Amino acid sequence: GAVVSQHPSRVICKSGTSVKIECRSLDFQATTMFWYRQFPKQSLMLMATSNEGSKATYEQGVEKDKFLINHASLTLSTLTVTSAHPEDSSFYICSARPLDRLAGTDTQYFGPGTRLTVL
Amino acid sequence: GQNIDQPTEMTATEGAIVQINCTYQTSGFNGLFWYQQHAGEAPTFLSYNVLDGLEEKGRFSSFLSRSKGYSYLLLKELQMKDSASYLCAVGQNFVFGPGTRLSVLP
């Protein structure tokens, strides 16, 4: 159980285009989903936290108009990178926190990641 | 805010024991997590500590001291496949430390 999928797994796009990444919890409902970005040989950097039905909370330095997050249901969150540029090339990973979880635990389950390359 | 620190790189020999430390400062604490991440893959959950003490799970153990803001991950009987990055994370919004790249040598 507790499987999170991401689609696509890999995407190459031209500079100036927009790219949408989907994150789905397949066998559980998630109150909260998180979006991370990871550059080579660096740790995961939290970009934003999204709660179903409400606006996402962005970390300092992350442009909310560039990285659009929609959390339309308890099993789906999307990240849209608008007007992508080469510096946006990175590994984007989502995670989901189950709605029904053991008291006192806040385990997150990670998706497999999406590698974005902007030419 | 949160501040998390880990050694950047460690090297150990197959069959040995290695301890990876994590120190943290956080305004709210609801547990410390350890994740393993192989290059190009998503992190996988290893352990969770919310109370002080040692949690053992097979070859991996994790220790927590809340008063010291300190945790470590202990890996025993190292195998080549343990070569990966090890990330600790704290806080409600899962702020990750910088990660420790472990290289296991034959």
Side-chain angles (χ1 to χ4, degrees):
Chain A
V3 177
V4 176
S5 70
Q6 274 185 247
H7 178 80
S9 58
R10 188 180 295 267
V11 58
I12 301 172
C13 69
K14 292 183 179 179
S15 185
T17 60
S18 294
V19 175
K20 180 187 281 189
I21 302 170
E22 290 187 350
C23 177
R24 292 181 186 272
S25 55
L26 297 185
D27 51 2
F28 66 97
Q29 292 182 319
T31 48
T32 306
M33 289 186 171
F34 302 86
W35 287 96
Y36 295 85
R37 181 168 51 182
Q38 186 175 35
F39 292 106
K41 295 189 177 181
Q42 295 187 23
S43 189
L44 281 76
M45 298 298 296
L46 180 66
M47 298 175 67
T49 303
S50 75
N51 293 294
E52 184 264 339
S54 62
K55 289 184 178 180
T57 302
Y58 290 81
E59 295 298 303
Q60 194 172 5
V62 178
E63 300 174 57
K64 62 180 181 181
D65 294 330
K66 180 170 181 63
F67 298 99
L68 301 178
I69 292 173
N70 186 297
H71 194 157
S73 75
L74 287 172
T75 59
L76 173 64
S77 176
T78 60
L79 168 68
T80 301
V81 183
T82 62
S83 186
H85 288 96
E87 57 265 31
D88 298 325
S89 298
S90 187
F91 192 48
Y92 291 86
I93 306 176
C94 73
S95 68
R97 178 182 288 162
L99 174 64
D100 179 19
R101 62 185 187 271
L102 295 174
T105 65
D106 281 310
T107 302
Q108 297 182 16
Y109 298 95
F110 285 83
T114 297
R115 187 160 301 284
L116 170 64
T117 302
V118 184
L119 303 177
Chain B
Q2 285 141 332
N3 186 32
I4 306 170
D5 198 24
Q6 297 178 239
T8 305
E9 292 190 30
M10 299 183 72
T11 304
T13 307
E14 197 173 13
I17 299 173
V18 71
Q19 177 176 311
I20 302 173
N21 296 326
C22 172
T23 57
Y24 65 89
Q25 294 173 316
T26 181
S27 53
F29 182 81
N30 60 343
L32 185 141
F33 296 79
W34 283 96
Y35 281 79
Q36 179 191 62
Q37 186 181 27
H38 286 99
E41 299 180 11
T44 55
F45 172 77
L46 289 179
S47 69
Y48 169 70
N49 294 70
V50 66
L51 299 175
D52 289 352
L54 187 68
E55 294 277 344
E56 296 189 72
K57 191 184 294 185
R59 293 191 300 117
F60 294 2
S61 303
S62 56
F63 171 84
L64 175 68
S65 169
R66 288 172 295 172
S67 61
K68 295 181 180 178
Y70 168 68
S71 173
Y72 67 74
L73 181 69
L74 193 71
L75 291 74
K76 303 175 187 175
E77 301 170 17
L78 280 174
Q79 302 174 10
M80 300 295 288
K81 67 179 182 180
D82 297 330
S83 294
S85 287
Y86 291 86
L87 310 168
C88 65
V90 297
Q92 266 204 318
N93 287 348
F94 254 61
V95 177
F96 279 88
T100 300
R101 281 195 301 280
L102 173 66
S103 299
V104 180
L105 305 177

